[in-house]
Amino acid sequence: MRCSPSSVLNLLRMVRLRSCSRRGRNRLPQWLRKIWAYVRLLVQSLCFNALTDSDVVFDSIFEPVFWTVDYVTRWFGLVFVCLVVILTSSIVVIAYIVLLPLVLNTYSPPWIAWHICYGHWNLIMIAFHYYKAAKTSPGYPPTEKNDRPFVSVCKKCIMPKPARTHHCGICNRCILKMDHHCPWLNNCVGHFNHRYFFSFCLFMTLGCVYCSISGRNLFLDAYNALERFKHLDLEKPGIPVTGMGLLIGLLPSGQNDFATPAPSYTFKERMIHKSIIYMWVLTSTVGVALGALTVWHAVLISRGETSIDRHINKKERQRLAAWGKVYRNPFNYGKLNNWKVFFGVEKRSHWVTRVLLPSGHPPHGDGLTWDIFPVRKDLIPV
């Protein structure tokens, strides 16, 4: 039996009509379809454009965690600042009360002059740069309408962002040439206080290394003295009386009353030795930790990068490498020129007046626009 084309076509139409009638009977209620459409819209909003990747999804999922960390850091910033001031002040007090008399009584006049001059210079540099780093505004992009060039729009501030500008969740503002938010300063490190932050880290590291090296022998003497005091406490004459002997009034041999015999050392001597140990342990620990951070920032400055620039440049290098191209940092003027721009060195004398002495001069540029050199040249001929 042969099937004509018309009969086959009629059969397909009947099957289609029957399936459509079943689909109409199984349709969800309208209110439920609205909820389902809204849920689909929320899920699809995570992929709002073609540039969305795993980082956007990750940020969206962990946004509550980031918000909690930002909130805690914002409110504990003042506690961290007080901790820095208290610990630094304790080392200064120990240096003046304990170490300075020892230096004056044991060292020769040239060494005394060296320790007094270097110690006070280092202390002034630490205090000056910490105060400036904490109190100086890192720099913010203008909020009013202007003709300045920008590279993107902040999705939180909904404001134009110049190059190297990033949003700080703790300060809740965009920061010019943002490096990071430092809880120990309770401030962001940006264009206008980056030099103060690095100088504070550098001179604090030098001060800790100075205290650790110059106080090593004092630390060993203090540690041995405390160990000797412990042995003297254990080797007191007589038999120690414990338990029921104390209740019935027994005394060790050679003791005529209930008074405890005086130790062979004074409370002042014990506190002096403990202070020296505290100072050496604290300065050595901070010197190692802060020294590693200082070296890392020095490497970034030599490359013309901030901490955030490094991550961006790394991704750009990987992206262009896949296309067989080489990415070059447009803000890298060469190692020496990067340091000149960072410290604001414009003539030879500035290496002393602006680097080795306290200076409140502004940084190079306004942080809104940047000079881009395709070929490295001497930006500041010094």
Side-chain angles (χ1 to χ4, degrees), residues 109-290:
W111 276 109
I112 293 176
W114 153 254
H115 283 291
I116 291 178
C117 293
Y118 177 82
H120 285 86
W121 170 77
N122 205 337
L123 178 61
I124 292 173
M125 297 296 285
I126 291 172
F128 172 81
H129 287 104
Y130 183 76
Y131 175 80
K132 295 292 287 185
K135 301 301 291 185
T136 302
S137 171
Y140 310 110
T143 56
E144 65 278 359
K145 186 177 180 180
N146 58 81
D147 297 330
R148 296 279 188 175
F150 62 93
V151 296
S152 63
V153 176
C154 179
K155 63 181 181 181
K156 295 186 178 180
C157 297
I158 317 299
M159 294 294 294
K161 288 198 307 182
R164 311 182 82 179
T165 299
H166 304 280
H167 186 88
C168 176
I170 300 174
C171 298
N172 200 24
R173 297 190 66 174
C174 284
I175 308 297
L176 297 178
K177 191 194 165 188
M178 180 179 175
D179 187 272
H180 69 287
H181 184 93
C182 181
W184 302 103
L185 299 176
N186 194 26
N187 195 9
C188 258
V189 177
H191 178 64
F192 290 99
N193 65 346
H194 194 184
R195 177 178 66 88
Y196 297 129
F197 165 76
F198 177 78
S199 297
F200 163 72
C201 293
L202 176 63
F203 290 110
M204 178 64 83
T205 301
L206 293 177
C208 290
V209 172
Y210 164 73
C211 291
S212 179
I213 294 177
S214 61
R216 177 179 176 275
N217 293 332
L218 294 176
F219 164 75
L220 295 177
D221 294 340
Y223 181 81
N224 293 330
L226 289 181
E227 290 295 322
R228 187 171 64 255
F229 293 161
K230 289 181 181 179
H231 289 298
L232 290 177
D233 291 339
L234 297 176
E235 295 175 359
K236 288 181 179 179
I239 301 175
V241 179
T242 58
M244 290 299 296
L246 295 174
L247 298 178
I248 62 179
L250 292 178
L251 294 175
S253 59
Q255 186 173 334
N256 299 325
D257 53 17
F258 288 93
T260 303
S264 57
Y265 54 87
T266 63
F267 176 77
K268 180 180 178 180
E269 293 177 345
R270 194 180 190 93
M271 291 306 299
I272 288 176
H273 294 312
K274 287 185 176 181
S275 300
I276 294 175
I277 293 176
Y278 161 79
M279 181 204 70
W280 191 86
V281 172
L282 179 62
T283 55
S284 300
T285 305
V286 174
V288 172
L290 193 59

Side-chain angles (χ1 to χ4, degrees), residues 86-101 275:
I86 292 173
L87 293 178
T88 306
S89 300
S90 66
I91 298 300
V92 174
V93 170
I94 293 174
Y96 274 103
I97 296 179
V98 178
L99 299 183
L100 186 58
S275 300

